[in-house]
Amino acid sequence: MARRMGRWGRETQPGRAWAEGRLPGRAGLGWRVARARGDRPRGINRPLFATGVSTGLLVLFTLGLMLVVGVGSVAASVYADVTRDLPPVSELANREPFQTTRIYDRNGVLLHELYAPNEGRRTLVPLNEVSPWMVDATLAAEDASFYDNPGVDPHGIARAIWQNVSHQGIVSGASTITQQLVRNTLIPEDERERQTLLRKFEEAVLAYRVNEMYSKDDIVDMYLNEVYYGDQAYGVAAAAETYFGKTPADLTLAEASLLAGLPQSPTEYNPRLHLDAARQRQRYVLDQMVRSGFVDEATAANAYAEEPQLAPPPDDDLKAPHWVFYIRDLLEQKYGPRLLYQGGLQVYTTLDLRLQERLEQVAKDNAANLKLHGASNTGIVAMDPKTGEILAMVGSMDYHNTDIDGQVNVTVSERQPGSSIKPVVYLTAFEKAGFTPATVLQDQATCFPGGQGQPPYCPVNFDNKFHGPVPVRVALGNSLNIPAVETLNTIGVENAVEMANRLGIASLDASKQYGLSLTLGGVEVTPLELTGAYAVFANQGRRVGPVAITRIVDGHDRVLEETRPSSGEQVVDPRLVYMLTSILSDPNSRLITYGPHSQLDLSRPAAAKTGTTDNYRDTWTMGYTPNLTIGVWVGNTDGHPMREVLSSMSAGKIWHEAMEAAFDVLQLPVEDFQRPDGLVDEPVHDEPGHSTDLVLAERAPHQ
């Protein structure tokens, strides 16, 4: 660490003697000692001159002089009128300066910063976490007499008044740090740039009052957190991060002297835009530090000789954009826009950016394949079924592609699920009607009543064939339509909707009248909801989540919320869910429709179900292992149909690649689906390839 000469010629570590309270005689001793002791003394007010003229009298004289110059022969009583409507300086203690909200992934990687467009970045930081070099450089540049003056600089004011009168206009302001703080906080925004003696008089009065109420530490602390340094950086913490990629505690003398010069004109001295001007201003700051005794000439020269090593500009690129805005909307609904954009929230989410970026690439790698079938978009949701945590959310093929309406988050947009809703119907039949995978259904030409004033409903299968009597295992595994409608007709639509609600599909409204087409996807749900329902299947009927946020801390390090691990709620009998999983994970049960070695087969045991809507507007593949659930939607954002495309070769292909990618990125172990107690294998007759199938133990025939 560089060394510097103290004001009295002693060689010291930067700031160390002051922090230890060893340097006598300087009014600045108060705040340096306070930083070491941890207490915060009130303002230090002492005579300005050895002649004994009090601070208060000199200030009153100066203020009176300003008043006379500003208003001519108006009586002194005008003082009361002028100052009557000034804001109370106690507002400073209660003021909440805006702070930047930051959204992180599950590993602490910054995804994005949120701030109001007319504001910028700010993180509050206490004075004891700011480099002493930064404090000294700021005092030297803006207000060398800060620890001696009463909030205004009488000498500077007198000089400024003389210059202003001589030039018949405002050419000098003589603003102290306290006055600048007042201007940025207590003076209305539309009046801050008003260059009149009356406004300067009001500012001086407020500065004097602030100095009386707050300690010098408090004032410089507030100033450093308030002042604008350019490049949307408000406060010293944002400035240190923006320009040098470090915390304010780690600023060197060279860096601090560069930053301390910026508030005078943040645009003109912006080192990224005008490095020469910034360096000239830095030289001025270092010269002032020498003049005020903060450093000696050699130390200042060495600091100036260091070439500024500016950090790359802040990365404004959105990481996981759909996720960021999904989180933003959740926060705004719960906390409101003011806290969201100004509260300095640190939001820790469940997303794994490594997996997110891998799945984004999977989506883009399939763009050409989808284009062949008239599809331009896809959405992917990945969840941990055991915790309910959302691990990835790919809201579109490309967020920045306006041709596909890429900014629309299709994972939270309602779409028709096609046959991917059928497992909900069959699970309801297991519970309400005593169905098992071995229950035989008729796959034959059938018309069902269409309801009052409606024609009969006559569904057909995807292959336009009838397969006669088939067990549920074959009917569901091959996604046969007629048996699914027969099943829904048996259990009742209202029971299927109730099951869907239990599984977390809130888009289905129990108060609405749905027809039998529900089982073929004639309703609308969101990919996020449906993925959550399949996560319940993966978790043996226990619903947890979905969870998007694990922890929120506000700008004052107060924890606003924290998600505790939850075992969730058992919403379905695990034995019934296992029967469903045994079908969806059985490659032999889907040979009629998908054939052997389809995209639904993974490198480990997995369950999956596809879905395709009428006119090929949507294709889906939903699937899971015990430790991962992924749902995929493919189509066009505006809903126009694709050309004839198999779901297994569109959404199914993406699902396969996404699952395998997740196994790799997350290093997930291979897990088998655990069979719960209370199930028995019962002989199945007339079913090729299946001599036995699952039934509940209490429903098995007595031997």
Side-chain angles (χ1 to χ4, degrees):
M1 179 179 289
R3 304 174 73 86
R4 63 176 177 175
M5 298 297 292
R7 187 171 184 176
W8 294 271
R10 306 183 198 180
E11 189 176 43
T12 66
Q13 293 284 346
R16 185 166 184 175
W18 286 279
E20 294 175 354
R22 291 190 282 105
L23 291 186
R26 188 166 181 250
L29 176 65
W31 73 270
R32 303 278 186 179
V33 173
R35 289 170 68 173
R37 289 200 310 252
D39 55 18
R40 306 185 70 79
R42 308 306 295 171
I44 303 169
N45 298 314
R46 61 182 62 196
L48 291 179
F49 305 107
T51 57
V53 179
S54 73
T55 295
L57 288 176
L58 186 55
V59 168
L60 290 177
F61 170 80
T62 305
L63 296 182
L65 178 60
M66 290 181 64
L67 184 61
V68 169
V69 173
V71 299
S73 61
V74 178
S77 62
V78 172
Y79 174 86
D81 293 332
V82 171
T83 61
R84 182 177 55 233
D85 295 328
L86 292 180
V89 297
S90 59
E91 288 184 3
L92 275 177
N94 301 320
R95 184 175 178 273
E96 291 285 346
F98 76 84
Q99 296 187 65
T100 306
T101 287
R102 292 177 171 83
I103 299 175
Y104 301 91
D105 87 333
R106 68 188 302 109
N107 298 309
V109 178
L110 179 64
L111 301 177
H112 193 55
E113 294 180 323
L114 295 176
Y115 47 85
N118 59 337
E119 294 173 344
R121 304 178 181 87
R122 177 187 277 129
T123 300
L124 297 183
V125 60
L127 192 60
N128 60 7
E129 294 181 14
V130 178
S131 165
W133 290 124
M134 186 64 197
V135 178
D136 289 350
T138 299
L139 297 180
E142 300 293 338
D143 188 0
S145 68
F146 174 75
Y147 277 95
D148 295 311
N149 69 50
V152 293
D153 180 1
H155 294 293
I157 290 175
R159 182 175 62 253
I161 290 175
W162 172 254
Q163 293 173 346
N164 294 337
V165 170
S166 300
H167 291 81
Q168 297 184 345
I170 302 295
V171 297
S172 178
S175 292
T176 63
I177 280 178
T178 311
Q179 286 175 270
Q180 293 179 50
L181 176 64
V182 163
R183 182 187 312 132
N184 291 331
T185 56
L186 297 179
I187 301 295
E189 189 170 353
D190 59 348
E191 297 182 16
R192 290 175 188 172
E193 302 306 320
R194 185 162 54 91
Q195 294 292 327
T196 66
L197 285 173
L198 178 60
R199 212 276 297 151
K200 295 295 291 184
F201 175 71
E202 294 172 341
E203 180 184 291
V205 171
L206 287 172
Y208 180 71
R209 292 176 179 177
V210 166
N211 190 74
E212 289 294 296
M213 176 169 284
Y214 298 96
S215 73
K216 289 293 188 179
D217 269 12
D218 290 336
I219 295 170
V220 74
D221 186 311
M222 288 186 283
Y223 174 84
L224 287 171
N225 279 295
E226 181 68 35
V227 68
Y228 181 52
Y229 290 90
D231 227 348
Q232 293 190 304
Y234 288 81
V236 65
E241 173 64 29
T242 297
Y243 292 108
F244 296 110
K246 57 173 57 178
T247 67
D250 297 326
L251 291 171
T252 65
L253 172 59
E255 294 163 344
S257 58
L258 187 69
L259 290 185
L262 302 185
Q264 185 71 220
S265 183
T267 300
E268 180 182 349
Y269 296 133
N270 186 325
R272 288 203 177 93
L273 303 176
H274 310 289
L275 182 58
D276 288 345
R279 292 279 277 159
Q280 291 176 14
R281 178 67 178 167
Q282 180 191 24
R283 182 189 292 277
Y284 167 80
V285 172
L286 288 168
D287 287 346
Q288 292 300 107
M289 293 184 74
V290 172
R291 178 174 299 186
S292 300
F294 289 107
V295 296
D296 60 17
E297 291 186 3
T299 303
N302 290 336
Y304 185 76
E306 296 181 25
E307 288 293 328
Q309 301 297 316
L310 298 177
D315 185 4
D316 289 329
D317 290 340
L318 284 172
K319 296 181 175 67
H322 290 105
W323 175 254
V324 164
F325 294 129
Y326 172 72
I327 295 297
R328 179 199 63 185
D329 291 345
L330 293 179
L331 294 171
E332 188 165 1
Q333 291 169 16
K334 185 169 185 178
Y335 296 105
R338 185 179 182 280
L339 186 59
L340 170 62
Y341 291 110
Q342 300 183 5
L345 304 181
Q346 308 295 304
V347 184
Y348 299 91
T349 71
T350 59
L351 184 112
D352 189 309
L353 184 60
R354 301 168 305 160
L355 178 61
Q356 174 74 20
E357 292 178 339
R358 186 76 169 269
L359 297 191
E360 287 176 356
Q361 191 60 49
V362 167
K364 291 178 181 178
D365 289 345
N366 278 273
N369 175 56
L370 298 186
K371 187 176 181 180
L372 293 175
H373 302 287
S376 63
N377 207 0
T378 187
I380 308 173
V381 177
M383 294 180 67
D384 181 338
K386 297 178 181 179
T387 65
E389 295 176 340
I390 303 170
L391 302 176
M393 176 183 282
V394 181
S396 72
M397 183 81 72
D398 183 353
Y399 176 84
H400 302 286
N401 188 345
T402 57
D403 292 338
I404 65 170
D405 296 322
Q407 293 189 6
V408 175
N409 186 349
V410 297
T411 68
V412 293
S413 302
E414 292 186 349
R415 306 280 169 172
Q416 290 192 352
S419 294
S420 61
I421 200 72
K422 286 177 180 174
V424 177
V425 173
Y426 281 104
L427 183 59
T428 309
F430 292 166
E431 181 181 81
K432 300 297 184 182
F435 279 25
T436 73
T439 299
V440 176
L441 302 171
Q442 297 300 318
D443 183 27
Q444 59 189 14
T446 307
C447 288
F448 300 88
Q452 186 175 2
Q454 299 294 322
Y457 179 51
C458 304
V460 295
N461 288 321
F462 176 78
D463 58 4
N464 290 313
K465 296 178 181 179
F466 304 111
H467 303 87
V470 292
V472 166
R473 180 175 293 276
V474 173
L476 176 57
N478 291 282
S479 199
L480 303 179
N481 289 338
I482 298 170
V485 177
E486 177 186 343
T487 299
L488 181 58
N489 191 50
T490 299
I491 62 174
V493 173
E494 66 280 358
N495 285 322
V497 171
E498 189 275 333
M499 174 64 77
N501 293 162
R502 257 193 281 163
L503 297 172
I505 304 176
S507 295
L508 297 186
D509 187 345
S511 67
K512 293 182 178 180
Q513 297 296 317
Y514 299 106
L516 293 176
S517 63
L518 180 147
T519 193
L520 305 184
V523 294
E524 291 188 338
V525 300
T526 71
L528 178 58
E529 286 178 318
L530 197 55
T531 304
Y534 275 74
V536 179
F537 303 157
N539 201 30
Q540 297 182 308
R542 186 172 290 277
R543 182 171 183 263
V544 187
V547 178
I549 297 172
T550 56
R551 193 165 187 260
I552 301 177
V553 180
D554 72 6
H556 300 283
D557 292 328
R558 296 174 299 208
V559 177
L560 299 185
E561 64 179 75
E562 191 163 16
T563 301
R564 303 294 182 184
S566 171
S567 59
E569 178 186 1
Q570 192 73 46
V571 296
V572 190
D573 188 325
R575 299 172 300 172
L576 305 180
V577 174
Y578 184 81
M579 288 196 293
L580 183 71
T581 297
S582 75
I583 299 172
L584 299 180
S585 62
D586 179 7
N588 293 321
S589 73
R590 50 180 178 249
L591 292 174
I592 295 174
T593 298
Y594 303 97
H597 312 300
S598 73
Q599 293 286 354
L600 305 186
D601 298 336
L602 300 182
S603 60
R604 62 183 68 187
K609 181 70 187 74
T610 64
T612 304
T613 59
D614 292 343
N615 299 322
Y616 302 97
R617 294 182 185 276
D618 311 89
T619 66
W620 302 67
T621 298
M622 317 296 296
Y624 55 93
T625 63
N627 49 18
L628 178 67
T629 304
I630 289 183
V632 175
W633 168 88
V634 163
N636 295 297
T637 310
D638 61 6
H640 75 264
M642 299 172 279
R643 292 184 288 276
E644 289 191 13
V645 56
L646 295 174
S647 56
S648 60
M649 294 307 297
S650 54
K653 181 175 181 293
I654 294 175
W655 176 82
H656 180 105
E657 294 173 6
M659 290 289 286
E660 295 291 354
F663 298 151
D664 176 53
V665 172
L666 303 177
Q667 291 294 293
L668 295 177
V670 176
E671 292 187 25
D672 289 321
F673 296 108
Q674 297 300 309
R675 174 170 169 164
D677 295 334
L679 291 171
V680 296
D681 295 306
E682 183 182 73
V684 177
H685 303 289
D686 301 324
E687 185 186 347
H690 291 92
S691 59
T692 62
D693 216 330
L694 296 167
V695 298
L696 297 179
E698 61 266 26
R699 295 180 186 172
H702 294 292
Q703 301 298 323

